[in-house]
Amino acid sequence: MNWLNELYTINKRQSKKEIERSLVNAIFRIYDRFPRIGLRERIGQQEMSLDIADAYIHGHNAMIEAGVGIGKSFGYLIPSLLMNQMSQKPVIIATSSIQLSEQIHKDLRVIGSRLGFTTVRSVVGKGMGQYACRSRAAEWIRPDDPNSSLSALAQRILDFEIDERADIKAGISDAEWSNVSVNDCKFERCHHKNSCLFYDMRAKLNAKAHEIDFIIVNQDLLIRDLMKKKEGTKSIISEQPALIVIDEAHNLEAKVRDARTLEFTYQGICRILDTTVQLLMKQSGDRSLFSQTKLIKRCAQRIFQQINSDLLHHAKQDSDRIKVSEIKGIPLNQVSNDLKDLSLRLSILTSRHEREIDDAFEAINGLITLIHVLAETEDNYLLWASSPQGVATISICPKDISQFLRYALFNGKVPVILTSATLCQGGDTLEEQYSYLTQSLGYKGDFMDRKSSPFDYTNHTMMYISSKVPYYHHDQRENYLEAAYKEMVQLCNLTQGRTIVLFSAKEDMKYIHKKLISRTSEYTWAVHVQKEGSSQDGVIAEFRKSKGVLLSTGVFWEGVNIEGPDLSQVIIFRLPFPVPSDPIYEYKASVTKNPFMEVFVPDMLLRLRQGTGRLIRSETDLGILSILDSRLSTAATKTYREQVLETLPFKEVTEDFSVLEKFVQQKGIRRMV
């Protein structure tokens, strides 16, 4: 394509004005060609591409809210393809989920081929936990019991039937998959490396700039790479990209916290110590290391005895984050000194196994930080306990992540684009609308005009707010759930199923599911419930086939895309306010003047906007949004009601069920049977 060659030539001449003019002209030409290549230009998409081009040319960061339906992936892929062609440097795209990463990869193939980019070299990078490890699988083969589920799974991995978790179509529990997923990879020393998708993926991620064009990763992987670069250790992702695009950027704060959170279990600490001793013994032969680590293990065991007691008394479910009570009677100073000695020994260790030494050194230093936090000699970290998969876990995380992002990401070295359908709150100016995420992330850069959704929410949708359900109080939880159940069944009967119910608490979802399956005479639609694990494709397919009701939480609040009449209603069971006692939100609240309006309401609105965005996914979609939380009703007179109504795109709002019924009938939402 002549204009691509022109861009490359101009880049060699180093003329910023010429680059800018050619880049902008190329974007206009591409959108002019849309009808000829079977694509339709959408409102806001071209403006988004031009905004990104401007940020790239001037080396600025940009924050862009791109409403549902404008086609934001094409909006950033088009200028990214041009920038990659001009600079011969890769473009990094970071997403919040594996499913979105794979969808963007497909979109890249589609738009690239239609525009004539025939040699786009790309890789999708996922966390190691998504890949099967043949080395670990071999350890679970049981010739004497080949029918055991774990042995059968391991055999399928060794037979090359399974390379990734997604290859298991029926799904698999986190606990079972953790036995055979990649963990503490041996990299070059593993004799399975030539047939390992994880090893191949990591090699491509770290390819030289001219050897790869697009690197599509989840946000977790990008953040871990930024951390390694900040610490001066071996990076994961190729150096010096042309551009970084962070999609679904409303999740970035949580992803940064997750990536910078260190988690410790008793078994995990023992593994760290055993690995360290093995590495040091190979060179020094110092047997005093055994007694040294034995003391640390004994202290760790006593710490976790207390953690288990705390969880037993204060945790209502495995995912709850609870405070850790004061650690008493354990020589934490001695433990810290012994760990520092191990760290020093590792730092001067020379070996062929450099990667293993680096990993052990990092793990030991993490343990030192944990001990300092427990001893209250380090106050820049948050501390909590939880029991994911039923295993007692202590977690620590830096209090302030904004400083890290300002230094590692928004430093002006590479233009960074933050985009999502839900970045803004209410406000008169762009700065006010983007302010919550700006402050949370430490963002420095430009704010771009919001690209509104092209969908006709005024005529195609109605929002129903229930005033019948009592306020939720934990000590009267059952009264709330009984009333919400009745309202939910009535609403699902109105649309004859075709409803996704979004819960903010798993225990609420389990209660309602149990009640539904015990009262099948009250409805005619099929009931589906979210399955454990990262992939939900199976349950979504079942829901679409039956046109029933799907009970869900977590990942279903975002990323689910069901167009057409298979989905005609989204029910928000309860407003998704964060838990006030969660250590992260407790800290965020402690550094603001008005915690409720500056932290809890903005956070709730971001998640609410994501959930309600599941309803309308195309220009012809019709549907109703129902909220079973009477705190939003007129009678409740809550200060945030107007903010919610202003932020959501739904213009027709009612608390009268008969008005909702009339709307459903007029629009033909109720299907014929």
Side-chain angles (χ1 to χ4, degrees):
M1 300 179 71
N2 293 334
W3 47 274
L4 289 179
N5 293 331
E6 179 189 346
L7 283 174
Y8 183 70
T9 304
I10 289 173
N11 185 49
K12 290 293 186 184
R13 293 205 303 266
Q14 297 295 307
S15 169
K16 183 179 283 189
K17 287 186 177 180
E18 289 294 320
I19 293 172
E20 182 174 13
R21 183 166 65 247
S22 291
L23 183 55
V24 169
N25 287 340
I27 289 172
F28 279 126
R29 289 179 195 175
I30 286 174
Y31 280 102
D32 286 343
R33 295 183 63 216
F34 262 36
R36 282 178 281 158
I37 60 176
L39 297 173
R40 183 167 55 82
E41 181 184 350
R42 300 188 181 189
I43 297 172
Q45 191 180 69
Q46 182 170 308
E47 286 84 351
M48 181 180 183
S49 293
L50 292 169
D51 283 345
I52 293 171
D54 182 74
Y56 171 74
I57 293 296
H58 295 97
H60 295 168
N61 302 321
M63 193 179 280
I64 310 170
E65 177 170 291
V68 176
I70 77 158
K72 66 176 163 55
S73 62
F74 280 14
Y76 59 70
L77 286 174
I78 287 169
S80 297
L81 282 161
L82 298 173
M83 292 163 199
N84 167 253
Q85 177 74 20
M86 291 168 59
S87 67
Q88 301 298 297
K89 294 179 180 179
V91 173
I92 296 173
I93 298 173
T95 72
S96 61
S97 69
I98 294 168
Q99 291 85 355
L100 183 56
S101 294
E102 292 174 339
Q103 183 58 52
I104 290 168
H105 196 237
K106 291 176 185 175
D107 290 346
L108 176 62
R109 295 293 183 206
V110 169
I111 195 67
S113 63
R114 293 195 187 186
L115 294 176
F117 295 85
T118 55
T119 57
V120 178
R121 298 160 300 177
S122 57
V123 59
V124 176
K126 305 172 189 176
M128 62 173 60
Q130 295 301 319
Y131 294 88
C133 177
R134 293 191 171 88
S135 179
R136 296 187 72 203
E139 298 172 4
W140 290 102
I141 295 296
R142 300 286 185 268
D144 56 327
D145 187 15
N147 294 322
S148 77
S149 61
L150 193 51
S151 180
L153 172 64
Q155 190 60 57
R156 291 179 66 196
I157 292 170
L158 290 173
D159 290 342
F160 299 95
E161 291 180 31
I162 298 171
D163 287 306
E164 301 180 50
R165 184 173 183 168
D167 294 334
I168 305 173
K169 301 305 180 185
I172 186 172
S173 71
D174 293 340
E176 189 171 12
W177 179 250
S178 66
N179 293 306
V180 293
S181 60
V182 176
N183 182 26
D184 297 329
C185 182
K186 297 176 183 176
F187 290 96
E188 291 80 7
R189 294 191 305 105
C190 181
H191 64 275
H192 293 284
K193 67 179 182 182
N194 292 330
S195 62
C196 177
L197 284 191
F198 172 72
Y199 182 83
D200 180 64
M201 177 272 295
R202 287 292 290 268
K204 289 179 179 177
L205 287 184
N206 216 314
K208 294 178 181 178
H210 64 276
E211 295 174 346
I212 192 78
D213 299 316
F214 277 79
I215 297 171
I216 304 170
V217 296
N218 55 37
Q219 292 174 17
D220 312 73
L221 203 56
L222 173 66
I223 295 156
R224 283 201 294 275
D225 179 67
L226 294 174
M227 290 166 61
K228 285 184 174 293
K229 286 171 180 169
K230 180 175 180 289
E231 293 160 1
T233 55
K234 185 174 176 59
S235 61
I236 303 170
I237 303 176
S238 179
E239 300 280 354
Q240 298 181 324
L243 180 77
I244 298 174
V245 178
I246 300 180
D247 200 347
E248 301 299 302
H250 62 278
N251 283 320
L252 186 59
E253 180 190 0
K255 294 292 185 180
V256 173
R257 289 199 184 279
D258 287 347
R260 301 205 72 201
T261 294
L262 300 178
E263 295 184 341
F264 303 90
T265 63
Y266 174 65
Q267 291 78 6
I269 290 173
C270 290
R271 279 197 300 271
I272 292 169
L273 294 170
D274 290 343
T275 299
T276 300
V277 169
Q278 288 172 15
L279 288 169
L280 294 174
M281 282 291 291
K282 287 176 183 176
Q283 198 162 90
S284 71
D286 184 355
R287 300 195 64 80
S288 67
L289 289 166
F290 290 108
S291 58
Q292 190 176 8
T293 54
K294 190 174 182 180
L295 169 66
I296 299 172
K297 286 181 182 180
R298 279 203 307 269
C299 291
Q301 185 177 34
R302 291 170 60 191
I303 289 170
F304 275 91
Q305 286 173 347
Q306 179 178 314
I307 296 300
N308 275 305
S309 176
D310 289 342
L311 288 166
L312 183 65
H313 288 94
H314 302 293
K316 298 182 179 69
Q317 55 186 348
D318 288 351
S319 60
D320 282 356
R321 295 169 173 169
I322 66 162
K323 292 180 181 178
V324 175
S325 57
E326 184 182 356
I327 303 293
K328 296 179 180 179
I330 297 173
L332 296 177
N333 286 339
Q334 179 63 49
V335 172
S336 174
N337 290 334
D338 286 346
L339 287 170
K340 286 177 181 176
D341 178 60
L342 293 176
S343 175
L344 179 61
R345 289 175 184 239
L346 286 170
S347 70
I348 59 176
L349 189 62
T350 56
S351 169
R352 298 185 287 122
H353 311 312
E354 183 181 340
R355 194 190 294 266
E356 285 185 68
I357 294 170
D358 285 346
D359 289 345
F361 180 73
E362 185 178 338
I364 289 293
N365 285 338
L367 272 176
I368 293 170
T369 304
L370 171 66
I371 297 302
H372 288 175
V373 173
L374 289 173
E376 299 181 352
T377 58
E378 168 62 79
D379 62 358
N380 291 320
Y381 283 78
L382 301 172
L383 168 71
W384 66 86
S386 58
S387 55
Q389 301 176 32
V391 178
T393 304
I394 308 174
S395 301
I396 58 173
C397 171
K399 288 179 178 177
D400 183 16
I401 64 157
S402 61
Q403 185 176 355
F404 164 76
L405 286 173
R406 276 194 297 269
Y407 175 88
L409 186 62
F410 306 123
N411 52 26
K413 293 180 181 177
V414 177
V416 178
I417 309 299
L418 301 182
T419 187
S420 168
T422 56
L423 293 178
C424 294
Q425 311 281 322
D428 296 327
T429 66
L430 286 176
E431 287 79 3
E432 290 174 352
Q433 292 167 16
Y434 286 107
S435 63
Y436 178 63
L437 281 180
T438 299
Q439 293 166 12
S440 298
L441 300 175
Y443 172 76
K444 293 193 299 184
D446 298 334
F447 303 108
M448 300 303 184
D449 288 334
R450 299 167 70 174
K451 319 303 178 192
S452 299
S453 170
F455 299 157
D456 187 358
Y457 283 89
T458 301
N459 294 304
H460 287 189
T461 66
M462 178 172 281
M463 179 163 71
Y464 170 71
I465 299 171
S466 174
S467 57
K468 303 172 186 176
V469 180
Y471 287 6
Y472 178 90
H473 295 291
H474 190 75
D475 56 349
Q476 297 180 334
R477 174 172 170 265
E478 197 162 324
N479 292 338
Y480 162 80
L481 289 172
E482 287 294 323
Y485 167 82
K486 291 177 183 176
E487 190 84 331
M488 187 201 79
V489 170
Q490 187 179 24
L491 287 163
C492 293
N493 285 337
L494 179 61
T495 55
Q496 294 181 316
R498 298 178 299 155
T499 298
I500 286 182
V501 187
L502 294 174
F503 294 85
S504 53
K506 278 187 180 179
E507 62 265 33
D508 290 354
M509 181 178 75
K510 290 176 181 177
Y511 183 99
I512 295 299
H513 182 235
K514 185 177 180 181
K515 196 167 183 66
L516 280 170
I517 59 178
S518 69
R519 297 192 178 185
T520 55
S521 62
E522 296 180 0
Y523 54 88
T524 57
W525 24 265
V527 176
H528 307 277
V529 66
Q530 172 183 347
K531 292 182 172 61
E532 184 182 350
S534 57
S535 177
Q536 301 296 331
D537 293 344
V539 73
I540 290 174
E542 292 170 5
F543 164 73
R544 297 194 72 155
K545 184 177 180 181
S546 73
K547 297 176 174 55
V549 172
L550 173 58
L551 311 181
S552 57
T553 184
V555 295
F556 277 86
W557 281 82
E558 53 187 279
V560 175
N561 185 24
I562 302 176
E563 293 186 16
D566 289 350
L567 177 63
S568 294
Q569 180 173 209
V570 169
I571 295 177
I572 305 295
F573 204 76
R574 187 151 44 108
L575 291 175
F577 281 105
V579 178
S581 60
D582 183 294
I584 290 173
Y585 287 98
E586 193 172 58
Y587 167 72
K588 291 181 73 172
S590 72
V591 294
T592 57
K593 293 180 180 179
N594 185 348
F596 186 69
M597 295 305 295
E598 293 179 40
V599 175
F600 292 98
V601 169
D603 196 273
M604 178 273 289
L605 278 171
L606 284 178
R607 195 167 184 218
L608 181 64
R609 291 187 68 196
Q610 279 295 316
T612 58
R614 301 311 100 213
L615 181 62
I616 302 299
R617 307 301 298 179
S618 75
E619 288 86 346
T620 58
D621 280 0
L622 301 166
I624 57 176
L625 169 72
S626 301
I627 299 180
L628 307 187
D629 195 324
S630 57
R631 288 176 293 183
L632 211 55
S633 66
T634 307
T637 65
K638 296 293 182 182
T639 55
Y640 53 84
R641 172 184 157 88
E642 288 306 313
Q643 195 171 344
V644 171
L645 297 182
E646 178 190 354
T647 303
L648 296 180
F650 304 90
K651 304 306 176 187
E652 298 297 319
V653 182
T654 185
E655 296 178 23
D656 188 333
F657 192 83
S658 64
V659 172
L660 188 68
E661 282 183 305
K662 186 177 180 181
F663 174 82
V664 168
Q665 292 167 0
Q666 286 177 341
K667 298 297 179 181
I669 293 174
R670 185 181 178 89
R671 63 176 175 168
M672 300 300 292
V673 292

